[in-house]
Amino acid sequence: MAVQGSQRRLLGSLNSTPTAIPQLGLAANQTGARCLEVSISDGLFLSLGLVSLVENALVVATIAKNRNLHSPMYCFICCLALSDLLVSGSNVLETAVILLLEAGALVARAAVLQQLDNVIDVITCSSMLSSLCFLGAIAVDRYISIFYALRYHSIVTLPRARRAVAAIWVASVVFSTLFIAYYDHVAVLLCLVVFFLAMLVLMAVLYVHMLARACQHAQGIARLHKRQRPVHQGFGLKGAVTLTILLGIFFLCWGPFFLHLTLIVLCPEHPTCGCIFKNFNLFLALIICNAIIDPLIYAFHSQELRRTLKEVLTCSCSQDRALVSWDVKSLGGSVCQELLPQQPQEKGLCDQKASSTALQRLLQKEVKSLPQAKGPGLQEPP
């Protein structure tokens, strides 16, 4: 990997362009400017990446396990988790390779390292683009579910969601390949910055509109209960706080990285911009932190997903409730004990059912063995 100082290479040489970095150091020395550089250790970087890997892998496994979660909304959430997983995985892989190279445990030719670096950059760039796209897709899905609730299931169908997912992945890979191939062109950086701003505006407009509609509904309900001001203000404040947290985390985690790209275009040789360039590792760490936060915002709020996650973590193969419910007349105690052998209460119920079934069969057998009674007019003469 091409590394300058403690910074790792991403999207070609965005963080260490040969025309900018040497001149930046000279200008900073001449002006005597002091730079605030936040140091991110490789251990912390790897730890964040591994946490994100495990967390997003659990989300993907949970959604894949539960058929009740195979809906368009959870399809987008699953793809978002997969994108975040690739973002973290590619950065963890790059960091691990850099550490192995510095320790002398890995020896490879420059051409091989260059190809590996390009592959990792394509994976990182495509996963970043797809992650932003799926964040926008989730916002659109929620918008349709609120403003077109009666037509939601006819508009957002699973086949359409799958086609949208395929289109996002294909477009992300294609454009990422082009971006990596022409990373030294200003147009590439501008396209990335414009794309981020477009996603930010899209999410802000949709969520603000959804918040306004929700406040209108709360106001109407409050009027019916003659408690307009307290309920409306309380709901609006809570919704505003939620919206601020959602968009604030998105901007805080992704904004510095795209600010870095913008400054490379606007002021690649300015000393102040050079101070910002030195915090490139911090910007990558913030993106990985966003990959850790995304499941908490979009996935783990679902009770169904949390229940399935517990089953995944405990490796329990819980059976469907339809298999547990049985017919009293057709099942005996042995069948019940095979279904639920570990539950004492169900075992006692099975024993009672077995005793009742055995008694019923015994009575039926005794009744059949008795002579048939005849009516008084049909008795045989002595």
Side-chain angles (χ1 to χ4, degrees):
M1 302 294 166
V3 182
Q4 181 147 354
S6 61
Q7 296 181 340
R8 51 185 52 80
R9 180 183 170 214
L10 180 68
L11 303 178
S13 299
L14 294 181
N15 63 316
S16 56
T17 51
T19 58
I21 297 299
Q23 297 178 4
L24 283 172
L26 180 59
N29 292 332
Q30 289 177 351
T31 58
R34 294 183 179 180
C35 297
L36 177 60
E37 182 178 358
V38 179
S39 177
I40 303 295
S41 64
D42 292 327
L44 177 60
F45 203 87
L46 286 174
S47 300
L48 292 175
L50 291 176
V51 171
S52 176
L53 277 174
V54 173
E55 189 178 14
N56 287 283
L58 287 175
V59 173
V60 174
T62 301
I63 295 177
K65 175 181 174 61
N66 193 343
R67 292 184 178 273
N68 294 331
L69 301 178
H70 294 181
S71 62
M73 179 184 68
Y74 285 103
C75 180
F76 293 136
I77 293 177
C78 180
C79 292
L80 174 62
L82 183 60
S83 298
D84 291 339
L85 188 149
L86 291 176
V87 170
S88 304
S90 59
N91 280 281
V92 167
L93 177 60
E94 187 173 19
T95 305
V97 172
I98 291 173
L99 293 177
L100 292 175
L101 289 174
E102 292 177 350
L106 179 64
V107 179
R109 293 181 299 177
V112 176
L113 291 178
Q114 181 66 34
Q115 293 298 325
L116 178 61
D117 185 74
N118 291 334
V119 171
I120 292 177
D121 285 344
V122 170
I123 295 176
T124 303
C125 184
S126 59
S127 55
M128 285 182 176
L129 293 179
S130 61
S131 181
L132 292 173
C133 288
F134 288 123
L135 287 173
I138 292 173
V140 173
D141 176 79
R142 292 183 175 181
Y143 183 86
I144 296 175
S145 67
I146 292 178
F147 287 88
Y148 303 93
L150 298 179
R151 298 170 51 197
Y152 172 78
H153 292 289
S154 61
I155 296 176
V156 185
T157 61
L158 193 57
R160 289 180 179 176
R162 289 173 177 172
R163 288 195 292 269
V165 167
I168 288 174
W169 281 114
V170 171
S172 299
V173 173
V174 171
F175 284 109
S176 298
T177 305
L178 294 176
F179 290 159
I180 298 303
Y182 302 98
Y183 69 90
D184 54 346
H185 289 71
V186 176
V188 171
L189 304 182
L190 291 178
C191 288
L192 291 173
V193 174
V194 170
F195 175 73
F196 166 74
L197 294 177
M199 284 294 122
L200 178 62
V201 172
L202 174 66
M203 293 176 61
V205 170
L206 293 182
Y207 282 119
V208 169
H209 199 186
M210 284 187 278
L211 176 61
R213 174 59 65 90
C215 290
Q216 290 178 359
H217 284 289
Q219 185 178 9
I221 296 174
R223 286 176 179 175
L224 295 178
H225 294 82
K226 297 180 181 181
R227 296 181 303 175
Q228 178 177 356
R229 294 187 64 183
V231 175
H232 179 251
Q233 290 178 354
F235 182 85
L237 180 61
K238 182 179 179 180
V241 170
T242 302
L243 180 62
T244 302
I245 293 175
L246 192 149
L247 294 178
I249 290 176
F250 175 80
F251 184 78
L252 178 63
C253 294
W254 286 96
F257 175 79
F258 287 94
L259 174 64
H260 177 95
L261 302 186
T262 305
L263 294 181
I264 289 179
V265 176
L266 298 179
C267 54
E269 301 180 4
H270 195 275
T272 303
C273 297
C275 293
I276 297 177
F277 294 154
K278 292 183 178 181
N279 293 289
F280 185 77
N281 286 346
L282 174 63
F283 305 155
L284 290 183
L286 288 176
I287 293 178
I288 297 179
C289 289
N290 181 81
I292 297 175
I293 298 173
D294 279 345
L296 303 178
I297 297 177
Y298 297 99
F300 292 147
H301 70 281
S302 171
Q303 294 182 356
E304 182 75 12
L305 191 143
R306 291 200 302 268
R307 182 183 65 82
T308 309
L309 179 61
K310 292 180 181 178
E311 297 176 3
V312 173
L313 292 176
T314 57
C315 298
S316 63
C317 299
S318 60
Q319 300 180 358
D320 190 63
R321 292 182 179 179
L323 296 177
V324 177
S325 60
W326 55 77
D327 186 3
V328 174
K329 296 182 180 179
S330 61
L331 292 178
S334 60
V335 179
C336 295
Q337 291 175 5
E338 290 179 0
L339 284 175
L340 297 170
Q342 73 282 4
Q343 300 291 341
Q345 296 178 355
E346 285 80 357
K347 185 179 184 298
L349 179 60
C350 291
D351 293 337
Q352 295 177 6
K353 290 162 60 65
S355 301
S356 176
T357 304
L359 179 60
Q360 183 180 5
R361 291 178 180 176
L362 180 60
L363 290 176
Q364 291 177 356
K365 184 177 181 180
E366 293 294 332
V367 170
K368 289 181 180 179
S369 64
L370 293 175
Q372 296 182 354
K374 298 181 180 180
L378 298 178
Q379 293 181 358
E380 296 180 359

